[in-house]
Amino acid sequence: TGCSFGTPTGTIHPDDLQKSNADIVQVDRNNEYFFNQLTHYKISFKSFMVIRDPRDIIISDYFSIRYSHSVNYWIKQLRPILNSVTKEEGITILLSYYIPRFAEIRRLLANENIMKIHFTDLVDDSFTTYKKIFNYDNLYFDEKVMKTMLDKHSFENIAKRQRGIED
């Protein structure tokens, strides 16, 4: 059987999701409203969320937004601001955005239909972690294909440097 994909944006109604017959729905970032609607309308779902240390998120985003992230609306607004203030001020600016988002993530983590995956597990043992995700969601897992994909998209192959070495 094939899979169909959907991406909820804005205010998708759960009835529309059921009518779409999507097997897999991608939710960008965390969308508390979307998950609350699924629960409210008693729609059966499974999901996973990658959890990262909030300190790592802030620091990583600070440097990514300031120097290397491809330009989109968010980056276009923030990059000049971050480049005009000290590092500490820039991190404080990002904290003002992220603190409410972290609270939303914390509430989502209480949902029993959401598998919690630690970012460090993806980094330390990507293959085993993805296998757990695929098994949790009852998806076919082709080990050879997964190994090829993980190698192709590894940090070292994309960044052209070893992890932990600054460029």
Side-chain angles (χ1 to χ4, degrees):
T1 64
C3 285
S4 54
F5 295 85
T7 303
T9 56
T11 55
I12 187 171
H13 193 277
D15 288 342
D16 296 329
L17 181 61
Q18 283 184 314
K19 291 175 191 172
S20 75
N21 293 320
D23 297 304
I24 298 171
V25 177
Q26 172 189 343
V27 179
D28 294 327
R29 305 271 177 191
N30 54 351
N31 189 325
E32 187 175 22
Y33 172 81
F34 179 73
F35 287 112
N36 287 342
Q37 291 296 302
L38 291 176
T39 303
H40 175 77
Y41 287 95
K42 297 181 177 24
I43 296 173
S44 176
F45 72 94
K46 284 184 171 182
S47 181
F48 70 92
M49 181 182 291
V50 178
I51 306 163
R52 188 172 184 191
D53 184 322
R55 297 167 296 185
D56 291 342
I57 293 170
I58 297 292
I59 299 303
S60 178
D61 270 10
Y62 171 80
F63 287 103
S64 176
I65 292 167
R66 190 159 179 212
Y67 299 111
S68 62
H69 200 286
S70 59
V71 177
N72 60 29
Y73 178 80
W74 164 251
I75 303 302
K76 192 174 185 178
Q77 303 302 312
L78 271 177
R79 186 168 284 162
I81 295 168
L82 295 182
N83 283 323
S84 68
V85 298
T86 67
K87 181 170 35 172
E88 291 76 17
E89 291 168 329
I91 290 169
T92 301
I93 290 167
L94 290 179
L95 275 171
S96 69
Y97 168 77
Y98 276 111
I99 287 176
R101 305 278 298 174
F102 291 151
E104 183 179 337
I105 292 167
R106 187 178 192 101
R107 289 188 297 273
L108 284 172
L109 291 175
N111 190 314
E112 63 189 30
N113 293 318
I114 301 176
M115 177 185 200
K116 290 77 177 168
I117 300 293
H118 292 272
F119 182 77
T120 53
D121 292 338
L122 279 171
V123 171
D124 295 341
D125 190 356
S126 300
F127 181 82
T128 301
T129 305
Y130 276 109
K131 190 170 186 172
K132 286 178 189 176
I133 294 168
F134 274 66
N135 287 337
Y136 171 76
D137 288 328
N138 297 317
L139 299 171
Y140 174 71
F141 184 83
D142 185 311
E143 291 189 6
K144 184 177 179 185
V145 170
M146 183 57 67
K147 286 178 182 176
T148 301
M149 294 303 294
L150 289 173
D151 183 54
K152 179 179 178 181
H153 297 285
S154 71
F155 176 86
E156 293 78 7
N157 282 335
I158 291 174
K160 304 294 185 218
R161 62 183 171 89
Q162 294 297 310
R163 188 178 313 279
I165 307 294
E166 292 185 33
D167 55 354

